[in-house]
């Protein structure tokens, strides 16, 4: 019933949080559909550290950090790259034993969502503006599956907001 209101509500909440916190918001046009992101004016290393702490503060362990920006810089010449995409960019992958169990007990196929990931990046055209976000997981399947996936989405959102001071 509320699915038609989810996207506008997410955008409204994001903009309200942005206005209240004095940070810059990533507009819906700059992020792919299904991606939630928050932007903050700060040094990349500080925001990255805050993101790591936000994950740990929720009792989680980071399994892997993907250094996407470094990889793109390193391989740019080899693949015909024409511009610098990021000043810095990383994705952190982690799992929650509690939430993952709920999600997969509801539907074993939900293994496709694990591990969960959040990203952090800074672009050369917006130096000092750091974006933190995540892919919104589709809340599909049984009611139990939808509820459990909703909890994962809430966790990812809380982590991204904490990292950006929202």
């Amino acid at each position: 019933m509320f699915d038609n209101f989810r996207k506008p509500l997410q955008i409204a909440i994001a903009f309200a949080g942005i206005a209240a916190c004095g940070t810059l918001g990533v507009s819906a046009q700059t992020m792919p559909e299904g991606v939630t992101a928050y932007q903050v004016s700060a040094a990349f290393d500080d925001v990255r550290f805050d993101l790591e702490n936000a994950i740990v503060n929720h009792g989680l362990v980071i399994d892997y950090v993907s250094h996407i920006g470094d990889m793109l810089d390193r391989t740019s010449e080899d693949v015909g790259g024409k511009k610098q995409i990021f000043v810095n960019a990383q994705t952190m992958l982690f799992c929650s034993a509690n939430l993952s169990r709920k999600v997969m007990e509801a539907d074993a196929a939900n293994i496709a969502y694990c591990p969960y990931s959040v990203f952090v990046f800074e672009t050369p055209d917006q130096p000092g503006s750091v974006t933190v976000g995540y892919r919104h997981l589709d809340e599909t399947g049984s009611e139990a599956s939808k509820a459990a996936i909703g909890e994962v989405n809430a966790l990812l959102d809380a982590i991204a907001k904490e990292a950006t001071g929202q």
Side-chain angles (χ1 to χ4, degrees):
M1 174 177 161
F2 294 104
D3 287 346
N4 293 338
F5 299 102
R6 181 180 304 138
K7 189 68 170 180
L9 182 59
Q10 286 174 332
I11 292 169
I13 290 169
F15 279 97
I18 289 160
C21 296
T23 59
L24 301 171
V26 176
S27 71
Q29 293 79 27
T30 61
M31 281 291 133
E33 185 175 338
V35 174
T36 299
Y38 303 96
Q39 216 170 34
V40 63
S41 294
F44 177 85
D45 287 338
D46 292 342
V47 178
R48 188 237 179 262
F49 183 72
D50 290 342
L51 179 57
E52 183 176 344
N53 283 334
I55 294 167
V56 172
N57 289 344
H58 283 85
L60 306 167
V61 175
I62 298 168
D63 295 321
Y64 182 74
V65 177
S66 179
H67 299 271
I68 297 166
D70 292 344
M71 179 274 299
L72 290 171
D73 283 345
R74 187 178 62 252
T75 60
S76 179
E77 193 174 302
D78 297 333
V79 298
K82 298 192 181 350
K83 68 177 189 173
Q84 181 185 12
I85 302 167
F86 299 108
V87 175
N88 291 294
Q90 295 181 4
T91 298
M92 296 181 191
L93 298 119
F94 55 92
C95 234
S96 163
N98 182 38
L99 288 179
S100 294
R101 175 154 294 278
K102 283 182 184 179
V103 168
M104 289 175 231
E105 279 185 358
D107 186 341
N110 286 337
I111 191 171
Y113 291 130
C114 204
Y116 313 121
S117 68
V118 290
F119 59 82
V120 56
F121 70 83
E122 178 182 17
T123 60
D125 59 330
Q126 290 187 307
S129 181
V130 180
T131 302
V132 176
Y134 62 95
R135 285 177 293 192
H136 184 84
L137 306 181
D138 288 336
E139 297 174 21
T140 60
S142 68
E143 289 305 313
S145 181
K146 289 177 186 177
I149 294 168
E151 288 184 55
V152 174
N153 283 325
L155 172 67
L156 295 171
D157 196 56
I159 289 169
K161 283 180 175 176
E162 183 177 332
T164 56
Q166 304 283 323

